[in-house]
Amino acid sequence: MPSRRNSLLILGLVAILLAAAVYLIFIRQPVSQATQLGLDLQGGVSVQLEGYRTDGSEVERDEMERAVQVIRERVDSLGVTEPEIQIQGQDQVSVNIPGITDTERAVEVIGRTAQLGLYEVLAYEQQDNVPEGEVQSAEDDLRQSLKDDSEFEEGETKILFEESPALEGEGTYVAGYIVSEQPQITGGALDSATVGVDDQSNRIVQMNFTREGGQQFTDLSQEISQSTLGAGEPGRLAIVLDDDVESAPVVEQAIPGGQVSISNDSLPGGLPQDEAEELQVVLETGALPVNMRVLSVTTIGATLGAASLAGGLIAAAAGFALVLAFLTFIYRALGMVASAALLIYAFLLWGVIVAVPITITLPGIAGVVLALGVAADANIVIFERVKEEVRRGKTPRSAIALGYQKGFRAILDGNLTTIIVAMILFGLSSGSVRGFAVLLSIGVLLSMFTAVVVTRALLGLISSRGGLNLTPRMLGVSPDSIRPAGRGSESGEKARVR
């Protein structure tokens, strides 16, 4: 058994750790915000995306991996923590975003391809005030007319469209543009994008190109300014995002500096705030390497998440209370010490979860409960050894020392096996199953500390000089089950028991 001094040092260390846990859980921030909850506990949205190519060719694995990186950056920009993003199969991506409230915006941001291109407009036609429901028909008419234009060459050029609210009156402004098949400048030349306002205080998205991209843009604007469209009209620059023309301003002179803005002059105040922020995110995070289509969107409400959390916590609390009652009833004083150690264990584990931090999901709660069982099992292994030594006639203090000595190897082997299994599970799984493996591993390591070190220090302090006079009954051993001690054994203790 550790000396009284060593026991006090160990318990002092435990007190410091508990104080740190209290600070992390209750003082550093409101307790309701201390623990990060996963999608299944706080609600959110789960989106299933499928990558595809417009030419029908197969999507490569490395393209999906790069798409996951871009999607992760976009989700991070939404201010969401611990999203689960993983590739499923050859061409699908599962995105689970906990705590998100604006699901439509989230789906739009993560699924938008955001392929930016700047084109010189070769020719264009437009229709104003197109009634709602006739936009597609207007585009078909414009496409047919532009295909007859001398600038259109099949395979060398293409026709893109712009749709925006009419500047005057009702309806939609629809314009078709003939541009080259490939853009003169792509989003790869973009350095950054910011939301700002123009001279008329209209909200815009300002794009800043890299040095090389800025020079390319200067050359392109110089070339466009020197060209003319039909009827001597100045040249235009088409700013295209995902094959939709965002705007096509007139370029009257070369534009140095490598800055281009996307605006919407048809709306008072320019671009809507949400749209501008969304555009900034997709431009800054870059384009997805493949197109994405949304296969399914599953929204998990906060109410359902709260119900799952309450159910999980009630189950964990009930199991914890039953374990404490069982230990106290069977092992008496030893059980009370073990119960105190388990309470310390639970508090320290909560502190570790908050400090790392670790996102709690339903599988994670299962991992905590399982680790709790492992901690209780370690105490049972030691206590059964202690009781066996008491039945052999050892004094309670000697029996406790022998119990820890003989039981430690079995506890170590069992816990190492559990940790190895958890590591294998972590390596072969993903998502919330990994969270289960992480919490199980941390819980097992922590249980080794509380079940072996803390309980031993507590019992060492209790059984030391000046402490309690432990009797076999207090350890859950009936005096009738104690065998007579051998010669030279602790007959004095046996006599005291009788």
Side-chain angles (χ1 to χ4, degrees):
M1 292 292 291
S3 64
R4 182 181 178 85
R5 177 176 175 275
N6 289 340
S7 296
L8 289 174
L9 287 176
I10 292 171
L11 295 178
L13 173 63
V14 171
I16 293 173
L17 294 176
L18 286 175
V22 169
Y23 169 76
L24 292 172
I25 297 170
F26 298 104
I27 300 176
R28 189 174 63 170
Q29 70 283 305
V31 64
S32 59
Q33 301 175 8
T35 308
Q36 294 181 2
L37 302 179
L39 177 66
D40 53 352
L41 296 181
Q42 67 168 322
V45 62
S46 177
V47 184
Q48 194 77 17
L49 300 168
E50 182 184 45
Y52 69 97
R53 290 182 174 281
T54 53
D55 60 3
S57 60
E58 187 173 325
V59 175
E60 301 292 336
R61 178 77 179 185
D62 63 333
E63 291 176 322
M64 293 303 296
E65 291 175 350
R66 284 188 282 121
V68 166
Q69 293 177 358
V70 173
I71 291 174
R72 187 177 300 280
E73 291 178 7
R74 293 182 181 182
V75 173
D76 290 343
S77 69
L78 296 174
V80 177
T81 57
E82 298 295 330
E84 294 180 5
I85 306 172
Q86 53 188 321
I87 300 175
Q88 293 184 340
Q90 178 66 26
D91 57 0
Q92 294 187 13
V93 178
S94 173
V95 184
N96 295 326
I97 311 174
I100 197 76
T101 55
D102 192 347
T103 56
E104 292 185 1
R105 182 187 174 217
V107 173
E108 177 65 23
V109 168
I110 63 177
R112 191 167 187 175
T113 308
Q115 291 176 338
L116 176 69
L118 301 184
Y119 298 80
E120 178 184 1
V121 175
L122 303 177
Y124 79 100
E125 292 186 14
Q126 61 188 17
Q127 291 187 18
D128 292 319
N129 306 108
V130 177
E132 185 178 1
E134 298 181 12
V135 173
Q136 186 59 51
S137 176
E139 289 186 358
D140 292 340
D141 292 343
L142 290 173
R143 181 181 289 104
Q144 187 59 44
S145 177
L146 288 171
K147 282 186 175 180
D148 295 334
D149 193 285
S150 60
E151 295 290 346
F152 182 77
E153 297 181 36
E154 191 71 39
E156 299 293 331
T157 60
K158 60 184 178 182
I159 300 173
L160 300 177
F161 292 95
E162 176 185 3
E163 298 176 16
S164 60
L167 290 174
E168 295 181 358
E170 297 181 351
T172 303
Y173 170 78
V174 180
Y177 301 91
I178 298 177
V179 297
S180 58
E181 187 67 31
Q182 299 298 327
Q184 280 77 29
I185 299 176
T186 67
L190 192 65
D191 181 50
S192 64
T194 57
V195 177
V197 293
D198 60 12
D199 296 337
Q200 285 73 44
S201 299
N202 291 327
R203 190 176 296 105
I204 62 173
V205 173
Q206 184 79 42
M207 298 182 293
N208 301 307
F209 289 103
T210 61
R211 177 178 297 180
E212 182 180 355
Q215 185 58 51
Q216 292 176 354
F217 181 71
T218 301
D219 296 341
L220 176 62
S221 60
Q222 175 72 28
E223 182 179 343
I224 293 175
S225 67
Q226 294 175 352
S227 65
T228 56
L229 299 175
E233 186 177 345
R236 287 176 177 265
L237 171 72
I239 303 173
V240 179
L241 193 64
D242 294 343
D243 282 342
D244 293 325
V245 177
E246 297 292 330
S247 61
V250 171
V251 180
E252 296 179 340
Q253 59 184 3
I255 304 175
Q259 292 185 336
V260 180
S261 61
I262 297 178
S263 61
N264 190 337
D265 296 333
S266 62
L267 294 177
L271 291 170
Q273 181 72 30
D274 291 346
E275 183 180 337
E277 292 177 352
E278 173 190 318
L279 193 57
Q280 177 196 13
V281 169
V282 297
L283 289 173
E284 282 206 315
T285 54
L288 291 172
V290 293
N291 296 308
M292 289 284 180
R293 65 166 64 95
V294 177
L295 296 180
S296 65
V297 178
T298 304
T299 302
I300 300 176
T303 303
L304 179 60
S308 300
L309 176 61
L313 292 178
I314 290 174
F320 190 67
L322 290 175
V323 168
L324 297 186
F326 172 80
L327 290 174
T328 304
F329 178 74
I330 299 297
Y331 299 103
R332 311 294 173 82
L334 295 176
M336 295 176 67
V337 170
S339 298
L342 286 177
L343 289 171
I344 294 172
Y345 161 82
F347 224 80
L348 292 182
L349 180 59
W350 191 3
V352 171
I353 290 172
V354 174
V356 171
I358 300 172
T359 300
I360 296 297
T361 61
L362 279 179
I365 292 178
V368 171
V369 174
L370 181 56
L372 185 66
V374 171
D377 181 68
N379 287 126
I380 290 173
V381 169
I382 293 174
F383 295 165
E384 286 299 327
R385 291 282 187 179
V386 171
K387 292 173 68 176
E388 184 61 29
E389 295 300 326
V390 172
R391 293 189 185 100
R392 289 177 178 174
K394 298 291 191 298
T395 65
R397 181 174 174 81
S398 299
I400 291 172
L402 289 170
Y404 277 93
Q405 181 181 347
K406 295 180 178 179
F408 177 75
R409 184 57 186 267
I411 295 171
L412 180 63
D413 292 346
N415 287 348
L416 280 179
T417 303
T418 304
I419 291 175
I420 291 172
V421 172
M423 292 174 64
I424 295 174
L425 191 61
F426 181 85
L428 298 180
S429 64
S430 61
S432 57
V433 179
R434 279 191 166 188
F436 168 82
V438 169
L439 281 172
L440 178 60
S441 301
I442 294 175
V444 168
L445 291 173
L446 199 55
S447 73
M448 289 278 288
F449 174 69
T450 57
V452 177
V453 179
V454 176
T455 58
R456 194 172 187 180
L458 286 171
L459 288 171
L461 188 63
I462 291 174
S463 61
S464 64
R465 183 174 299 176
L468 291 177
N469 183 22
L470 293 174
T471 65
R473 285 190 184 278
M474 295 174 67
L475 304 181
V477 178
S478 171
D480 296 336
S481 64
I482 300 176
R483 296 189 293 273
R487 181 179 300 176
S489 67
E490 301 162 56
S491 57
E493 180 65 20
K494 179 182 173 186
R496 192 188 67 178
V497 170
R498 287 177 177 171

